[in-house]
Amino acid sequence: MCIRISDTGICPYCITKNLIKNGFTKNKKQQFYCKSCHKRCIDYYSYKACKRNTNAKIIQFIKEGLGIRSIARVLQIATTTILKRIITIAKKIPNPIFYSNKVYEVDEMRCYLKRKDKPIWIVYAIERKTK
Ligand SMILES: [Zn+2]
């Protein structure tokens, strides 16, 4: 089901009714401008990656162990979109807090990206009891 902004008149970012019309996009969709948060949005999005819960679904599918292409097939969006979203999701993850009185299992993996003289180290630590 598609809820159009022209029907509700509510900004999807700040949930206020301060929207004004702001011309049309290349695809002849009405564009709106919010006077409160100064962001633009269009009447409705055709591409399924623009839905609000897409990032949550990507996180859920990665936890289930699905690959990039299978996530793209299930959500019906492009694989490059999945990769870009994973990078943005990963940048928002805060650094973990390590406590000195707990026991951790640490493992490392050495790999390289494009050049073998610039190795990348991936280190992960799992707290033994809570995992
Ligand atoms: Zn707004």
Side-chain angles (χ1 to χ4, degrees):
M1 186 177 155
C2 178
I3 298 169
R4 294 182 178 220
I5 289 173
S6 59
D7 295 337
T8 60
I10 297 170
C11 174
Y13 302 105
C14 64
I15 326 287
T16 58
K17 283 201 164 193
N18 284 334
L19 287 177
I20 56 169
K21 287 183 179 178
N22 193 230
F24 291 90
T25 62
K26 288 179 192 171
N27 298 327
K28 313 288 186 228
K29 289 179 183 171
Q30 179 67 53
Q31 194 172 28
F32 294 95
Y33 176 75
C34 179
K35 287 194 220 171
S36 301
C37 64
H38 307 290
K39 288 184 178 178
R40 284 179 177 80
C41 54
I42 60 173
D43 199 7
Y44 62 95
Y45 291 93
S46 305
Y47 190 42
K48 293 184 177 178
C50 294
K51 288 181 180 174
R52 298 199 129 213
N53 60 350
T54 303
N55 283 6
K57 281 185 178 177
I58 290 171
I59 293 168
Q60 182 187 359
F61 289 143
I62 287 173
K63 284 179 181 174
E64 287 293 321
L66 291 182
I68 305 294
R69 289 186 183 176
S70 60
I71 294 171
R73 273 193 303 272
V74 170
L75 296 178
Q76 295 179 327
I77 57 178
T79 53
T80 51
T81 306
I82 302 281
L83 293 170
K84 285 178 186 173
R85 293 290 177 95
I86 287 172
I87 291 169
T88 55
I89 291 165
K91 283 181 180 173
K92 290 178 184 172
I93 296 172
N95 286 334
I97 302 164
F98 288 100
Y99 298 100
S100 60
N101 58 349
K102 291 190 176 181
V103 179
Y104 295 96
E105 292 179 17
V106 180
D107 203 358
E108 81 281 347
M109 186 171 72
R110 184 177 179 231
C111 60
Y112 56 90
L113 195 68
K114 294 181 184 176
R115 294 177 59 178
K116 282 191 175 179
D117 60 330
K118 286 189 175 179
I120 300 169
W121 287 90
I122 299 169
V123 180
Y124 60 91
I126 299 172
E127 207 265 303
R128 264 196 188 158
K129 285 181 183 171
T130 60
K131 302 285 183 195

